[in-house]
């Protein structure tokens, strides 16, 4: 890898599924040893982008390079550099933890001696050494994630792609996974590209790329994003409907996002301290609740998309898969 | 890395399966043996006379009779001989009226051939036979001679023999019994006879004649006891009995008494 | 907190052939391990032979045994138990092969396939590892039936066992490939029962497995004994010839030239694997 070449480069990448435009002329570059976050709600196109990068999906147009290798024309060279953690679990749950890692090493052509040594190191890194001989299905979902991260490192990958590695995990486990990633980047000097829809997680990343509906909305360091797009947002819930309507029409110019129709749905208003004071003076005794969101990535996203980034209900496909995972085991 | 525990766990399931299947093989598949044991007797259908397998002579009853007695002894049951004079008189075994209701074993000249196997199961082979020629003087070439053909034994390849003799321009006279054949040869109306090898050997020994097996292109067959198809439990017991007879030398002794080469028991299981 | 152990150490490059072979071994081993750990599959592997040989074979044996010397409806040199024995070997192979192949669907849905697709393994290697693994397990299950040989009064020499294993391997390879071809064409998976009822049992029952088409009869005569459509089904079922070849080795009885069976199995194996690979390259 030459120093001039970025670890990942994406040029005007587009991908369409039928009528859904999953990626729309996406372009960016990730530098070596960078911790790069791809932030976007469900359906933003994050997985699609990652699948193109790891060569299992072909783009409709545009190009992508891993360390200078074109993912379409030189998929093998590109894949050799990559360590991938897919969004959906891809462990073999009938194999033990160790066997899963060993299989990965075999398939990636890691010689036996290095394989054995690397497996030990990686199990140690993700703190699963004591579980080596347990079947993968007995692991908790957080442990499975950690195992998948360990697995992606067995073949000495330089670039880690992680697709929502923390989705569905509890806060403590999520923190732990981020600490592994941080440590990996520091000690192994690897590039990490991670997707997430948990906004609070990306604060520690070098750069954050906000993506929605297949388009890049912003790409910068978390600080710069907050500076540029972050606003103080006021959340208001009023006691009666007439006041609610009054505020909605009176401050229409300050509305920070879509407001739900329900009477209990908060009104989001761009604000500053002077505005807060004025509002309190006039409506203070008619409010049910009020909250002030300081400029954060959350408000950055809100101001960029007009929507809040929240967990959305699982799609039909996710539900089918979950069902199969529970009930389909014996048929596998 | 395959740890010992992992290996044991993986193969224990397989081992249980193999063990279970092995256990199953010890279940009796039918009732033939238990019937024999309940009756306390095993019944054998044999021809009236078929030397040296069955002679009708109480002092030297024949190889098959002696073998049957020994086998019955091993089974711990009596031997009941059902002589059947239709065997040997008639080519079509259906007319012999040998049925499951009459006997459990068919002996006295049963060979292991495709034809026999089509109707019967069989015990182990104890001697070999085939077609042989017998004549007062050695015949260098059978070309053009007149030979008597005695085909008592069922199961040998009659059609093969007929075509072989035809190709050699042999004039064939079919004879009905050993006596007829001996008389024909002695009287000079026949130059010699073609018959089953043991019979030919017996005849040659008795009359001090010459005998030789017919060329290898006519197959040689193993002599066996015929058993009913599907009588597996009885068959297994008989096979075991034969193995014992061979091991303690009784089989060889019986064969030797009648001047027959032991071929060694060919296990049928 | 710095641990020297996690620092990156580049892995020496190895010859691509060696890498493919190593991966082939890995994928094969995974299939075998998965199968061994699947208790359900093992239960099937033992219950099928026991039911077919023990219950069906023993149950029907009195109807096929000789009662009068020289008089049987069909002149065949075997007992019924012996006759169905090779077919039960084939049946066990069929079930296990197709069952292994169907796991392709699960691999596809549950991400394992994705994990190997992003490796340096070629599609051919991945598929071959999968099919060989499935075939290995199927041969093991077929061999389980051989344990019952003594019970079915089938005598086997070591040479015959070896020959039978060779034929079983060919059959298992072809059937696993067939399973993969079918699995690749299935979009939603309704369960293994569909496979069993729609593929395995029809193929099995029309393969001269549980009743012989008497070779002593001419084509015209066979059609007198059996309705013509059944005869045609049996004649055009490739499995007929595979089972016949197996029967030739196990009970020394052939209805057809045993080389036809070998040829059919080899051809089916190659063609089906090629189709499976063609489909697989487009995943
Ligand atoms: N295989 C597919 N077929 C059709 N549409 C798809 C497929 N995969 C993804 N999509 C659609 O493409 C869009 C982007 O999906 P995805 O990349 O999975 O988003 P994310 O990973 O950010 O949640 C979504 O609208 C999704 O419905
Ligand atoms: Mg996704």
């Amino acid at each position: 890898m030459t120093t001039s070449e970025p670890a990942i480069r994406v040029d005007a990448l587009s991908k369409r599924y039928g009528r859904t435009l999953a990626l729309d002329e996406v372009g960016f570059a990730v530098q070596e040893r960078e911790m790069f976050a791809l932030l976007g709600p469900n359906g933003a196109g994050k997985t699609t982008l990652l699948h193109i990068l790891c060569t299992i999906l072909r783009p409709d147009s545009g190009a992508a390079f891993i360390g200078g290798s074109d993912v379409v024309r030189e998929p093998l060279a590109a894949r050799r550099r990559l360590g991938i953690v897919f969004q959906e679990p891809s462990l073999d749950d009938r194999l033990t933890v160790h066997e899963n890692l060993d299989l990965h090493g075999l398939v990636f052509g890691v010689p036996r001696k290095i394989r054995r040594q690397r497996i030990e190191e990686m199990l140690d890194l993700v703190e699963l050494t004591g579980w080596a001989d347990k079947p993968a299905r007995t692991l908790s979902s957080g442990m499975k994630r950690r195992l998948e991260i360990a697995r992606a490192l067995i073949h000495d990958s330089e670039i880690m792609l992680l697709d929502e590695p923390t989705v569905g995990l509890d806060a403590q486990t999520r923190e732990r996974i981020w600490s592994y990633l941080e440590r990996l980047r520091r000690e192994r000097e690897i590039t990490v590209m991670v997707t997430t829809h948990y906004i609070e997680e990306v604060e520690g990343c070098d750069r954050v790329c906000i993506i929605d509906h297949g388009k890049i909305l912003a790409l910068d360091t978390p600080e710069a994003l907050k500076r540029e797009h972050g606003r103080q947002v006021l959340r208001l819930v009023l006691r009666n409907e007439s006041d609610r309507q009054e505020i909605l029409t009176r401050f229409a110019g300050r509305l920070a996002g879509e407001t739900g129709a329900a009477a209990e749905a908060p009104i989001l208003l761009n604000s500053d301290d002077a505005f807060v004071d004025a509002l309190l003076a006039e409506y203070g005794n008619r409010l049910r609740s009020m909250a002030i969101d300081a400029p954060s990535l959350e408000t950055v996203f809100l101001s960029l998309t007009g929507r809040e980034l929240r967990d959305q209900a699982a799609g039909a496909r996710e539900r089918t898969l979950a069902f199969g995972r529970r009930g389909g085991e014996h048929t596998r | 890395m395959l740890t010992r525990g992992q290996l044991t766990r993986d193969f224990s399931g397989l081992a249980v399966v193999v063990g279970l299947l092995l256990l199953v093989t010890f279940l009796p598949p039918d009732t033939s043996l238990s019937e024999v044991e309940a009756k306390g007797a095993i019944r054998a259908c044999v021809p009236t006379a078929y030397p040296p397998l069955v002679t009708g002579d109480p002092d030297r009853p024949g190889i098959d009779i002696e073998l049957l007695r020994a086998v019955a002894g091993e089974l711990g049951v009596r031997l009941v001989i059902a002589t059947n004079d239709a065997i040997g008189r008639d080519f079509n075994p259906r007319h012999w009226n040998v049925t499951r209701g009459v006997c459990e074993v068919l002996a006295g000249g049963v060979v292991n051939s495709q034809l026999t196997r089509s109707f019967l199961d069989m015990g182990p082979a104890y001697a070999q036979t085939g077609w042989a020629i017998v004549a007062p003087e050695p015949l260098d070439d059978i070309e053009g001679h007149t030979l008597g053909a005695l085909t008592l034994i069922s199961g040998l390849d009659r059609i093969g023999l007929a075509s072989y003799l035809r190709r050699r321009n042999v004039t064939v006279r079919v004879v009905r019994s050993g006596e007829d054949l001996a008389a024909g040869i002695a009287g000079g109306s026949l130059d010699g006879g073609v018959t089953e090898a043991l019979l030919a050997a017996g005849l040659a020994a008795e009359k001090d004649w010459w005998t030789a097996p017919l060329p290898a292109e006519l197959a040689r067959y193993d002599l066996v006891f015929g058993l009913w198809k599907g009588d597996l439990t009885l068959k297994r017991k008989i096979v075991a009995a034969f193995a014992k007879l061979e091991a303690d030398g009784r089989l060889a002794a019986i064969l030797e008494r009648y001047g027959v080469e032991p071929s060694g028991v060919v296990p049928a299981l | 907190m710095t641990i020297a152990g996690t620092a990156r150490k580049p892995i020496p490059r190895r010859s691509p052939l060696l890498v493919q072979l190593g991966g082939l071994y890995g994928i094969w081993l995974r299939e075998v391990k998965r199968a061994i750990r699947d208790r359900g599959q093992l239960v099937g592997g033992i219950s099928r032979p026991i039911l077919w040989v023990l219950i069906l074979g023993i149950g029907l044996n009195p109807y096929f045994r000789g009662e009068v010397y020289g008089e049987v409806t069909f002149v065949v040199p075997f007992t019924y138990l012996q006759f169905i024995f090779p077919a039960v070997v084939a049946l066990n192979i069929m079930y296990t092969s197709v069952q292994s192949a169907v796991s392709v669907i699960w691999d596809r849905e549950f991400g394992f396939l994705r994990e190997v697709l992003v490796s340096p393994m070629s599609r051919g290697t991945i598929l071959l590892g999968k099919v060989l693994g499935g075939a290995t397990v199927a041969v093991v299950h077929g061999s389980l039936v051989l344990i019952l040989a003594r019970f079915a009064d089938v005598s086997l020499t070591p040479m015959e066992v070896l020959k039978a294993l060779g034929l079983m391997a060919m059959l298992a390879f072809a059937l696993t490939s067939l399973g993969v071809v079918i699995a690749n064409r299935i979009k939603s998976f309704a369960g293994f029962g569909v496979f069993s009822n729609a593929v395995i049992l029809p193929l099995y029952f029309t393969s001269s497995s549980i009743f012989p088409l008497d070779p002593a009869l001419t084509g015209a005569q066979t059609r007198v004994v059996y309705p013509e459509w059944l005869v045609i089904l049996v004649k055009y079922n490739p499995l007929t010839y595979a089972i016949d070849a197996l029967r030739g080795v196990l009970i020394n009885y052939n209805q057809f030239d045993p080389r036809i069976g070998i040829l059919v199995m080899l051809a089916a194996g190659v063609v089906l694997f090629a189709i499976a690979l063609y489909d697989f390259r487009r995943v």
Side-chain angles (χ1 to χ4, degrees):
Chain A
M1 209 192 294
T2 56
T3 41
S4 60
E5 189 60 50
I8 302 170
R9 187 154 59 84
V10 175
D11 284 339
L13 212 55
S14 293
K15 177 74 190 178
R16 181 180 282 283
Y17 294 109
R19 293 176 56 201
T20 320
L21 188 56
L23 288 178
D24 186 5
E25 305 260 317
V26 171
F28 61 82
V30 179
Q31 298 309 318
E32 272 188 61
R33 265 164 281 161
E34 192 173 11
M35 177 86 99
F36 187 90
L38 203 55
L39 177 69
N42 269 333
K46 306 181 295 291
T47 300
T48 305
L49 177 59
L50 248 63
H51 279 184
I52 291 174
L53 286 179
C54 64
T55 75
I56 57 177
L57 202 62
R58 289 173 78 96
D60 294 338
S61 64
F65 302 87
I66 300 291
S69 311
D70 188 319
V71 295
V72 175
R73 276 181 285 126
E74 311 154 83
L76 271 187
R79 290 207 292 251
R80 216 176 346 252
R81 294 210 164 90
L82 289 178
I84 301 157
V85 176
F86 290 106
Q87 180 173 355
E88 283 145 15
S90 61
L91 294 170
D92 191 316
D93 48 15
R94 279 212 207 118
L95 298 187
T96 65
V97 167
H98 186 280
E99 285 167 340
N100 266 293
L101 297 179
D102 202 44
L103 172 62
H104 181 92
L106 269 172
V107 161
F108 276 79
V110 183
R112 178 202 287 266
K113 241 180 85 184
I114 304 181
R115 208 158 68 221
R116 196 176 303 160
Q117 182 188 339
R118 201 58 61 84
I119 289 173
E120 217 167 279
E121 284 167 23
M122 291 309 143
L123 280 179
D124 186 50
L125 172 78
V126 297
E127 300 165 89
L128 285 175
T129 309
W131 292 78
D133 289 323
K134 297 274 188 304
R137 69 169 173 278
T138 60
L139 268 51
S140 72
S141 45
M143 285 153 91
K144 283 185 184 161
R145 270 296 177 212
R146 278 146 61 189
L147 178 55
E148 283 175 313
I149 291 174
R151 183 176 67 176
L153 292 162
I154 294 289
H155 63 283
D156 189 51
S157 39
E158 301 161 15
I159 301 164
M160 287 276 280
L161 301 182
L162 301 102
D163 198 0
E164 311 220 20
T166 56
V167 71
L169 302 181
D170 62 77
Q172 203 189 343
T173 316
R174 275 158 57 180
E175 209 165 290
R176 209 149 147 194
I177 282 178
W178 279 97
S179 80
Y180 296 142
L181 293 180
E182 184 50 45
R183 186 173 155 200
L184 277 174
R185 183 181 57 140
R186 219 177 34 242
E187 292 174 14
R188 288 175 73 84
E189 311 195 316
I190 60 179
T191 312
V192 178
M193 174 164 166
V194 53
T195 78
T196 180
H197 65 262
Y198 294 125
I199 213 156
E200 66 277 13
E201 291 183 346
V202 300
E203 297 271 1
C205 293
D206 297 328
R207 283 194 302 157
V208 178
C209 174
I210 298 179
I211 178 173
D212 194 18
H213 297 301
K215 277 202 190 67
I216 294 182
L217 300 180
L219 198 177
D220 217 327
T221 62
E223 292 70 36
L225 284 175
K226 275 186 265 186
R227 214 165 37 239
E228 195 164 333
H229 305 281
R231 270 168 251 171
Q232 183 173 303
V233 174
L234 197 59
R235 293 166 185 269
L236 293 179
V237 180
L238 286 119
R239 286 197 193 145
N240 60 57
E241 185 59 25
S242 59
D243 292 332
R244 183 180 147 89
Q245 291 306 331
E246 186 184 319
I247 288 183
L248 277 176
T249 40
R250 186 167 159 196
F251 301 116
R254 281 185 173 269
L255 279 178
E258 300 144 17
T259 304
E264 291 301 308
I267 299 171
L268 306 180
L269 296 175
N270 294 320
S271 67
D272 48 49
D273 291 347
F275 178 71
V276 172
D277 289 345
L279 193 86
L280 274 178
E282 192 166 344
Y283 292 93
N285 54 356
R286 285 180 266 173
L287 292 176
R288 172 154 294 148
S289 73
M290 183 178 91
I292 300 168
D293 292 358
S296 67
L297 286 173
E298 189 77 45
T299 65
V300 170
F301 190 83
L302 185 63
S303 69
L304 284 172
T305 64
R307 283 185 289 134
E308 288 196 271
L309 191 57
R310 281 200 222 100
D311 251 333
Q312 282 150 18
R317 188 178 136 77
E318 273 85 38
R319 279 203 303 276
T320 318
L321 284 172
F323 174 75
R325 246 174 248 127
R326 287 194 306 272
E329 171 58 25
H330 65 283
T331 43
R332 282 215 236 176
Chain B
M1 185 177 65
L2 280 170
T3 61
R4 186 171 299 267
Q6 191 66 47
L7 267 178
T8 327
R9 226 175 308 142
D10 282 352
F11 283 96
S12 62
L14 205 57
V16 167
V17 166
V18 170
L20 273 175
L21 286 173
L22 278 176
L23 275 184
V24 165
T25 62
F26 287 100
L27 286 176
D30 57 62
T31 55
S32 51
L33 179 64
S34 54
E35 266 174 36
V36 166
E37 281 169 346
K39 278 193 308 231
I42 185 164
R43 298 164 305 170
C45 288
V46 297
T48 327
Y50 191 91
L53 301 178
V54 180
T55 60
D57 174 354
D59 296 332
R60 272 172 73 84
I63 297 174
D64 275 16
I65 304 295
E66 294 202 25
L67 277 177
L68 280 169
R69 276 184 193 152
V71 166
E74 285 299 322
L75 264 62
V77 294
R78 277 179 303 122
L79 174 67
V80 178
I81 297 285
T83 49
N84 185 322
D85 55 3
I87 303 178
R89 240 197 307 119
D90 196 323
F91 287 148
N92 190 342
R94 207 179 309 175
H95 299 158
W96 299 351
N97 198 27
V98 173
T99 71
R100 199 178 267 278
V102 179
C103 51
E104 283 86 32
V105 182
L106 183 61
V110 181
V111 297
N112 179 358
S113 68
Q114 176 86 20
L115 182 69
T116 321
R117 276 199 303 273
S118 300
F119 299 105
L120 295 175
D121 204 345
M122 46 205 47
Y126 51 88
Q128 273 213 326
T129 185
W131 297 117
I133 186 159
V134 59
E137 296 300 325
L139 297 174
D140 293 336
D141 194 357
I142 58 171
E143 194 92 30
H145 286 288
T146 304
L147 299 178
L150 176 62
T151 56
L152 288 176
I153 197 163
S154 124
L156 290 187
D157 182 9
R158 283 198 207 95
I159 300 164
L161 175 68
S163 67
Y164 171 75
L165 294 178
R166 206 176 315 117
R167 262 182 283 123
R168 292 313 192 83
N169 281 323
V170 171
T171 314
V172 178
R173 300 267 160 75
V174 175
V175 291
R176 284 292 177 178
S177 71
E179 288 83 57
D180 289 357
L181 181 65
I185 297 173
S189 62
L190 299 171
D191 299 331
V194 175
T195 187
E196 185 269 322
L198 296 180
L199 196 58
L203 210 57
E206 185 187 324
K207 310 270 181 181
D208 200 16
W209 286 345
W210 165 84
T211 182
L214 280 179
E217 62 178 281
L218 290 178
R220 296 187 63 75
Y221 295 97
D222 289 324
L223 271 171
V224 293
F225 287 171
L227 301 167
W228 296 110
K229 272 190 187 181
D231 285 2
L232 256 185
T233 44
L234 181 62
K235 174 182 166 179
R236 278 190 202 148
K237 203 76 182 186
I238 289 178
V239 169
F242 260 96
K244 200 148 174 227
L245 292 184
E246 192 189 27
D248 62 17
R250 270 185 286 167
L251 176 64
I254 292 172
L255 291 174
E256 206 178 312
R257 217 172 306 148
Y258 294 88
V260 172
E261 290 266 302
S263 73
V265 172
V266 180
L269 271 186
Chain C
M1 172 124 156
T2 316
I3 291 167
T6 63
R8 253 186 52 206
K9 279 171 297 232
I11 288 167
R13 293 284 289 275
R14 298 200 297 170
S15 92
L17 183 68
L18 224 73
V19 170
Q20 296 291 324
L21 279 180
L24 185 71
Y25 166 72
I27 295 166
W28 173 85
L29 191 64
R30 166 186 183 256
E31 286 299 312
V32 173
K33 278 181 179 163
R34 280 183 70 88
I36 280 187
R37 288 172 198 174
D38 185 350
R39 289 290 142 98
Q41 215 179 12
L42 274 182
V43 169
I46 179 172
S47 82
R48 269 188 305 272
I50 289 187
L51 289 179
W52 282 84
V53 175
L54 200 72
I55 307 303
L56 192 74
I58 300 292
L60 289 182
N61 211 22
Y63 291 86
F64 291 83
R65 67 183 187 187
E67 296 287 342
V68 177
Y69 186 33
E71 199 173 279
V72 283
T73 320
F74 293 103
V75 181
V76 283
F78 44 71
T79 63
Y80 187 65
L81 209 48
Q82 289 168 335
F83 179 78
I84 61 165
F85 184 76
V88 177
V89 173
L91 181 70
N92 234 20
I93 290 179
M94 270 181 113
Y95 262 96
T96 317
S97 294
V98 175
Q99 214 166 346
S100 306
V102 165
S103 67
V104 163
I105 296 177
W106 297 105
D107 288 350
R108 199 172 61 203
E109 293 298 319
F110 293 105
F112 172 79
L113 194 60
R114 216 174 263 157
E115 149 77 4
V116 288
L117 284 184
V118 298
S119 75
M121 292 298 105
S122 75
R123 299 282 163 108
T125 309
I126 297 171
L127 187 65
L128 188 63
K130 180 106 195 141
V131 171
L132 285 181
T136 306
V137 177
V139 169
V140 169
H141 276 215
S143 311
L144 287 179
V145 184
L146 293 186
I147 297 177
L148 292 179
R150 199 185 93 92
F151 183 82
D153 195 28
V154 172
S155 58
L156 292 173
T157 63
M159 194 59 213
E160 282 172 336
V161 171
L162 277 185
K163 276 191 207 163
L165 283 178
L167 292 176
M168 282 155 67
M170 280 190 259
L171 179 63
F173 186 89
L175 285 171
T176 312
S177 300
L178 173 70
V180 173
V181 169
I182 298 172
N184 273 337
R185 280 169 171 65
I186 288 189
K187 290 285 166 283
S188 68
F189 189 45
F192 185 71
V194 180
F195 273 86
S196 151
N197 293 328
V199 182
I200 302 177
L201 289 178
L203 258 182
Y204 178 69
F205 277 101
T206 58
S207 66
S208 178
S209 54
I210 49 176
F211 55 87
L213 291 187
D214 194 330
L217 304 178
T218 63
Q221 284 172 315
T222 310
R223 285 180 180 85
V224 174
V225 179
Y226 293 109
E228 176 146 11
W229 56 265
L230 185 57
V231 176
I232 290 174
L233 275 182
V234 173
K235 287 251 147 97
Y236 284 94
N237 183 344
L239 195 62
T240 299
Y241 303 93
I243 291 184
D244 187 63
L246 209 50
R247 211 167 256 149
V249 170
L250 291 176
I251 66 169
N252 301 316
Y253 171 77
N254 277 106
Q255 298 180 66
F256 312 96
D257 188 335
R259 282 170 301 182
I260 301 180
I262 295 177
L263 221 64
V264 165
M265 281 191 278
L266 282 180
V270 170
V271 170
L272 289 169
F273 186 81
I275 297 175
L277 187 58
Y278 174 79
D279 293 343
F280 195 50
R281 279 186 201 275
R282 296 184 311 173
V283 171

